[in-house]
Amino acid sequence: MKEEIRRTVKLLAPEGGVVEVRALADGVTHSGYFDDYTLFAEQVEALDADPSVAGIYVTLNTVNPALLARRANRIKMRLTRKDATTADADILRRRWLPVDIDPVRPSGVSSTDAEHAAALAMAERIAGYLAEQGFPAPILADSGNGAHLLYRIDLPNDEAATEIVRSTLATLDALFSNEAVTVDTANHNAARIWKLYGTLSRKGDNTPERPHRRAKILTVPPEIAIVPKERLRHLAGLIPRGEPKKKGSGIDLAAWLLDHGIAVRSTRPYRGGTLYVLAECPFSSAHKDGAFAIQFANGAIFAGCHHASCGGGAQRWPELRERYEPTRVPEPEKEEAPAPTDGEHRHRAMEILRHGDPLAFLLVTFNRNHVGDRTVAECLAMSLASQSVENTNGLHVAVSGNSGKGKTHACTTMQNLVPEAYRLRGTVSDKALYYDDDLRPGTVLLFDDVSLSEDLQEVLKSATTNFRQPIEHRTLTTERKLRVCTIPERCVWWLAKVEDMGDDQVMNRMLTAWIDDSIEQDRRVLEHMKEVEATGPLPTEEEDVLVCRAIWEGVKGEILPVRIPFARRVQFSATQNRRNPGMLFDLIKCHARLFYQQRDRGEDGAVIARPEDFAAAATLYAALSGTAGGQETKLTKNEAAALETVAGMGIEVFTIRQLQSALGLSYQRTYRLLHGYNNNRAVYAGLLEKCPAVSYIDATVTGEMLGVGETVRRREHYFSFDLEVYRAWSGGATVWLDDDPDGGSQGFTSSPGFHQNSGESVNEDPGHNGGDCSLGEVCTEMCIDKSNKLHPLPGTESLPAGAGDPSSGLCDIGSGEKIPAIPEENRPIRERAPPEGFLVCKSGCDGVKTGVIVQPSDYIPLPVEKDEPCHVCGRRPTSSVRRGGGGEYLCYDCLKKGKRPGKVQPLPGVLDHRTFARAKVELGRCDVCGAGKAVYRSREAQAKVCEGCYARLVREWNTGEGVR
């Protein structure tokens, strides 16, 4: 026996070197590494004598010799979790194609003599077929319960070789597996362990019907020749892996075979369809077995015979149909407009990568199907680009927002721009990720509003920490075989959830973006839906999607390092979270990688980033640290809105019901925002834990019982709010690029964004997200001084003079060279010169005149609309003019708002909550509802309101109903 074991290991490792032996025994694993094959045989012999050992295995392919130091020429019993075994990355080269033929039987038991013989007979048939295909003679072996074929190959350990082996085994499985014997398709990974011949196979108990048998080599050819690579590729491609195109009317293959008297020996599922093994070959009388037919999920049909003399697995369905339907009239092919070939799509993609703006093209194509949410789309695009950057830990994205506001649609729309082979979406368990053999490196994993289990969160942490390496999971199969499963490297995770992920360590590894759930966005989405329903998608849209996929194919074609030569000049205002600076650097690398065809390359092939890559990354980073994401604070959209509401109310102490009234949410959701909650999967932190400005007060209050007149005491929950602490904590992170000390390019500054995405032309203003200002007074104070003069936002002071001023023309950040100005009449309203007396936000808001009260009776309708600015909101055209002259025009929307009853509910835009201040004296009843006690007063509007009405004003502002 010892000599048989030593002969086996010399046969399997003909060049010598290190091999690993691994034994499975009662739920534990024993393992050792050997380069001394005599010691190997002695220790394996002793191990084989242990009745608790179910099976002993050895590595087949060339192992990294450094692994000898793990357990050098010794076997360690009962490995712990810290004890590593051979992984796919530890294999230097593939030297064997393993074909494992197993009889079908209950798991955990040995085979009967009949089952054993059937497996050996099938091995002989497969070897004969492969000989017809040009394969040399294999090693034929008895595994103890089934049969083995080992073919000598010489392939590198890379993705292409893995795909060849996987497809080869899949072809053999499709051609030969039946109800009694199957070809194991799971043996494609490089670190596969194999039954060690000469040892005993102990599955279940040793009974006369199902005895334990010793594995042994049956035949060895005189010369073990290497299978030519082209023979492997030919066999791998005999049966289509994907669904072929369906032509003509649909046919039910099962019914068709029955109607034409073609007997079926067996059926089984195959890649979403059904594979039919035919009882006799309809193509040749020289043999009976070998014919098959497949109907795929899309209805397409593939038929053939695995005998080389009968097509060797080539498509013969048209011939089969012609044999049984000789009088059939061929169906006319539908005439379709000629579509561009893949070559044309690739040509367009390369032109964009070399001379155009690939990011803009991706975002414009994205915007045709999903309105707005530029920040979210840009984060997803940078996440995809990170898969092709060598020196990165990857960028993963968490999108939060209220249910039904487009989180999933945004992610699936961007995912649709990626080649199909790199997509995985839908509900999936943590273990299923490991067992998905079709998962490939660089896949996008989309988790749509699912609660991540603790195991899945641990998988995500491992994926983000070891982005460039596969994640391994070791488990035992039902046959008590150790199986090493992996999630491939460079997969990115997209999480779409209403709340956060429930784990701070997970959130710290993600780009945290918010979906735009404003009322304006709802209106834009509705208008887009109407337009699509009325006109349908344009043909160019589908073509552009194919070009986007070709762009990503070009980017994914090579993994390149990216260098940032100006990295020492990058400065941060806050570095408490040490992961965020790394994310900014990754954003710079990803932007440069996407523009790799337009960037210089180093001697080592590295892409050299430019300052404009920093400018784009810093702008996105600032938006994620402002009102488009919670990168610094890790707040969700609802949590940020709650804090901004409390800050806008100007109160130091509030209750849950006060906040509920201001937010318009249920009591339970408001309570969970503050306190957090937990379910059976995770614990979710609330604002009390996240924000240092909010504190909890459990107080006892005294009051009278209604109708009784007695004094009672009750417990009340209050929350204190420190505005100064909140402003300091939520100020975001400013990043800037210092001036080049050598006198080169100028610096650049980017501070947290103050503007939500407007959804208008996505590339109108690539410097920031244009649209409505969501911070109200803060934005106005920062954009306009008391004399109504424009001044730059923080972060634009270092730009060249005149940059960003529409009247002087845009200015290139890097060179300072002027771009011709756009004519006044062709600019959007927010870019035109403001009417006299109007406040204008330089970052994109329309002109706003605060505190203006509209009395509809003061205005006269115009016979036709005039192209004059509204003196309240600044929009054009206008439909009314103030009586008595003065040239104060009013648009229809502002007139309509002025006609709403003011005593029932405060008019949006009529009372501005920013002009109100909390009073310290008695004010009497509320001017709006007439019932509540007034506690806020506005000297400008000459009005006073109660807590409830003030909360409604704040809520209208936050939801977009008020005038900005």
Side-chain angles (χ1 to χ4, degrees), residues 818-830:
K818 290 290 184 65
I819 300 173
I822 303 172
E824 174 85 13
E825 63 274 10
N826 293 337
R827 298 189 200 123
I829 291 173
R830 64 172 181 267

Side-chain angles (χ1 to χ4, degrees), residues 150-215:
L150 284 172
Y151 287 90
R152 186 77 164 87
I153 60 176
D154 184 21
L155 297 175
N157 179 22
D158 56 17
E159 183 182 347
T162 301
E163 184 59 33
I164 288 176
V165 173
R166 179 193 285 115
S167 299
T168 298
L169 295 177
T171 297
L172 295 177
D173 172 51
L175 296 179
F176 291 97
S177 293
N178 55 37
E179 67 281 359
V181 182
T182 62
V183 176
D184 193 344
T185 59
N187 294 323
H188 61 266
N189 65 303
R192 175 63 50 179
I193 54 175
W194 199 249
K195 181 63 65 66
L196 179 58
Y197 306 124
T199 62
L200 196 62
S201 178
R202 301 182 179 96
K203 282 196 176 179
D205 290 341
N206 185 17
T207 65
E209 184 180 359
R210 297 185 177 275
H212 293 167
R213 302 181 186 88
R214 195 167 293 279

Side-chain angles (χ1 to χ4, degrees), residues 53-97:
V53 172
I56 302 175
Y57 304 85
V58 66
T59 49
L60 277 177
N61 294 315
T62 309
V63 177
N64 186 343
L67 269 59
L68 180 67
R70 286 179 176 172
R71 296 173 284 277
N73 290 307
R74 65 182 180 89
I75 295 176
K76 180 177 180 179
M77 310 297 285
R78 307 180 69 89
L79 296 184
T80 66
R81 289 189 175 184
K82 295 181 180 180
D83 295 314
T85 55
T86 307
D88 286 343
D90 299 323
I91 298 300
L92 302 181
R93 200 161 184 84
R94 288 179 178 266
R95 60 187 170 202
W96 291 106
L97 170 67

Side-chain angles (χ1 to χ4, degrees), residues 591-651:
H591 192 273
R593 181 64 182 87
L594 191 55
F595 286 79
Y596 74 109
Q597 291 283 359
Q598 304 173 37
R599 298 293 182 264
D600 295 332
R601 303 288 282 270
E603 294 181 358
D604 58 348
V607 177
I608 308 300
R610 294 179 182 174
E612 51 259 48
D613 297 316
F614 170 82
T619 303
L620 178 59
Y621 183 78
L624 291 175
S625 298
T627 59
Q631 197 61 39
E632 285 289 334
T633 62
K634 300 305 176 187
L635 296 177
T636 65
K637 185 68 179 293
N638 286 339
E639 292 168 343
L643 289 176
E644 191 176 331
T645 298
V646 174
M649 292 171 68
I651 55 179

Side-chain angles (χ1 to χ4, degrees), residues 287-350:
H287 51 265
K288 287 189 175 182
D289 63 336
F292 62 93
I294 305 171
Q295 183 151 41
F296 291 89
N298 68 346
I301 298 175
F302 186 97
C305 178
H306 66 67
H307 285 284
S309 60
C310 197
Q315 168 68 291
R316 301 185 69 181
W317 165 243
E319 178 186 345
L320 179 63
R321 194 174 182 191
E322 188 67 28
R323 283 173 179 264
Y324 287 88
E325 297 179 359
T327 60
R328 179 179 66 91
V329 178
E331 297 177 8
E333 294 282 345
K334 292 183 179 180
E335 293 187 4
E336 298 180 357
T341 64
D342 290 341
E344 291 180 35
H345 293 139
R346 283 194 292 269
H347 177 73
R348 277 191 66 195
M350 290 308 299

Side-chain angles (χ1 to χ4, degrees), residues 259-281:
D259 291 343
H260 293 87
I262 302 175
V264 176
R265 179 185 299 165
S266 63
T267 63
R268 62 189 181 89
Y270 181 78
R271 294 187 175 269
T274 305
L275 186 147
Y276 301 85
V277 178
L278 306 184
E280 294 185 2
C281 178

